[in-house]
Amino acid sequence: MTHILVLSVVMLVYLHLWFLISVIRKNFGLVDIAWGLSYVVIVWTVFLHTKTITTASILMLVIVTLWGLRLTYYLFLRNWSKPEDYRYVNMRKNWGKHPNLNAYIKVFYFQILLASVISLPIQSVFYVTEGFEWYHILFLVFGTLLFMLGFAFESISDAQLKRFKSHPENKGKIMDEGLWAYTRHPNYFGDFVIWISYFVIMFYSLDVRYVFAIIGTCIMGYLLRYVSGVPLLEKRYKNDPQYQAYAESTPIFFPKFKK
């Protein structure tokens, strides 16, 4: 239970740090930057607190750090100096005289609590038993390949979108090139695959005591596809004729490679 207490304290400090930064800068949208970095904080906290080191735990430490820092850097460049995102602007309007209190509880505290649950596959890998039978190695290799696929989809599609938006002549146009030609949300699809890889890597030892950790992957997948990821952007462009034409020929989530 000690590791839970240590992680709780670290995450509370992390929560208050980002909340303070957001209040000072008057931009609750900065919580998006804190999201990816929170998993880096979690994985390093658990790693430094556990005594057993396995092949899977070292791999998890490396790939979560790589994924989290890339996402944090990308969102930092996109959001740090920009006006508050429209989602949080609308929230402020609905919160009346107590926007800071509402943001603290409903945005920052909730997201940190959510990250702690979603990260169960990441945390659990540091407690599973080591295994080196052929099927253990197969799980480990498969999980690594899944991570590489998801990371490629997420990072390449983000780079493609950023490059597309950097050209003034594309203002008002819909990105439908590169990976965006195969799915309307390649970055979210990539993120989903990454979270599947985390569970596969965690479960490589087939230690059934930790199979419950799949709840983290399931929650993340559900959020990406049905709550905070895909639906928000689809709703934003529901009255855009260009986007609707794009939607007719391009899958919403899982890629479809055209002939």
Side-chain angles (χ1 to χ4, degrees), residues 22-35:
S22 298
V23 170
I24 292 174
R25 294 187 64 86
K26 298 180 180 179
N27 187 346
F28 294 143
L30 297 182
V31 72
D32 292 344
I33 302 174
W35 176 251

Side-chain angles (χ1 to χ4, degrees), residues 42-57:
I42 289 171
V43 75
W44 276 94
T45 300
V46 178
F47 170 73
L48 294 174
H49 188 262
T50 53
K51 297 179 180 179
T52 304
I53 297 177
T54 65
T55 306
S57 65

Side-chain angles (χ1 to χ4, degrees), residues 232-241 243-244:
L232 289 179
L233 287 175
E234 290 291 316
K235 183 178 180 180
R236 187 177 184 181
Y237 292 104
K238 66 178 182 179
N239 296 320
D240 188 322
Y243 190 84
Q244 294 310 311

